[in-house]
Amino acid sequence: MGAATAIFYACANDDINSMVLDSPFASLKDLANELGSNYTRLPNFVRKILYNMIRKTVKKKAKFDINEINPIDQIDTCFQPVLFGAGIQDLFVRPHHTQDLYDKYPGEKDIILFEGDHNSIRPKFFHESVSRFFYLTLMCDQLPETPKSTIPEFNGKVSQGEDLLKEMKEDEEAMLKWALDESVKLMREQNDSE
């Protein structure tokens, strides 16, 4: 949802200089339909009824229509330089959403498709591309040195079925361990400074 929010904000604010949009969806309704058909065995008419019930509830409680969350309808009003990125194996927000937005975007743009899914650690070359992109679009004096990352490297392998589930569990455990370690380290640093 972050990339979609960035699109809406940037299209309404000229003070945004550039954007990196990682796995944006083109239409929330289309995304919901794809997820429903891919992850449930419900017939299409039942999914439509459920979607409309959710839509009605959101309208009542949050006072907006989820059918209006369509970055594809706004993107042609943006002109900031944009770097689009998407994981080729992303089954949550399929890469065609990013490609559709890229195709319709009228401003300066580039797109990078890389191995991985929606929650994969992004490959080093993508991080380096983002750094170069911001260096050029923000007109920095120099490219900052890349700090040694403590984030585990993505192994670049994408498997099917049970192998994928096993890899996801191992990656999740490694990321959770890393996050816990970093949190404990931060808490210790804060306690030491007090």
Side-chain angles (χ1 to χ4, degrees):
M1 191 77 182
T5 303
I7 292 168
F8 287 124
Y9 188 81
C11 291
N13 294 282
D14 292 336
D15 56 336
I16 301 299
N17 182 277
S18 54
M19 296 184 286
V20 173
L21 302 173
D22 187 341
S23 306
F25 62 84
S27 161
L28 185 59
K29 184 177 182 179
D30 291 347
L31 177 64
N33 186 44
E34 288 173 8
L35 291 171
S37 66
N38 292 333
Y39 294 105
T40 69
R41 294 183 181 178
L42 297 173
N44 192 37
F45 78 93
V46 173
R47 287 196 320 269
K48 283 183 180 180
I49 291 169
L50 290 172
Y51 178 84
N52 286 326
M53 289 171 60
I54 292 168
R55 179 181 178 206
K56 186 176 178 181
T57 301
V58 170
K59 267 185 177 179
K60 183 178 179 181
K61 293 186 176 198
K63 309 286 188 243
F64 73 93
D65 186 353
I66 60 176
N67 278 356
E68 294 176 7
I69 303 177
N70 299 312
I72 195 81
D73 294 339
Q74 295 290 316
I75 197 118
D76 59 351
T77 65
C78 291
F79 295 96
Q80 300 90 339
V82 174
L83 176 61
F84 291 91
I88 297 168
Q89 291 81 17
D90 191 341
L91 299 177
F92 185 69
V93 179
R94 295 187 180 263
H96 76 84
H97 286 270
T98 302
Q99 187 67 54
D100 293 346
L101 289 164
Y102 172 83
D103 291 343
K104 191 171 179 186
Y105 194 76
E108 185 180 328
K109 60 190 175 184
D110 199 359
I111 189 169
I112 299 174
L113 301 176
F114 43 81
E115 293 292 320
D117 61 33
H118 195 74
N119 296 312
S120 295
I121 295 172
R122 298 311 187 220
K124 185 176 181 180
F125 80 87
F126 182 69
H127 289 273
E128 290 168 350
S129 298
V130 168
S131 294
R132 281 192 299 277
F133 172 77
F134 280 136
Y135 171 75
L136 294 171
T137 60
L138 298 177
M139 296 177 260
C140 300
D141 291 334
Q142 66 183 30
L143 199 57
E145 285 187 37
T146 307
K148 176 97 171 107
S149 176
T150 57
I151 299 174
E153 283 284 327
F154 174 64
N155 63 14
K157 293 190 298 184
V158 179
S159 304
Q160 297 293 325
E162 291 179 23
D163 289 343
L164 178 59
L165 292 174
K166 182 180 176 191
E167 279 183 35
M168 287 172 60
K169 185 175 181 184
E170 289 170 1
D171 286 346
E172 280 182 12
E173 289 173 3
M175 289 179 69
L176 182 59
K177 183 184 180 321
W178 172 81
L180 289 170
D181 290 344
E182 291 297 308
S183 297
V184 168
K185 187 165 64 172
L186 182 63
M187 286 175 32
R188 284 183 182 149
E189 289 172 3
Q190 289 174 344
N191 287 339
D192 289 345
S193 68
E194 291 177 353

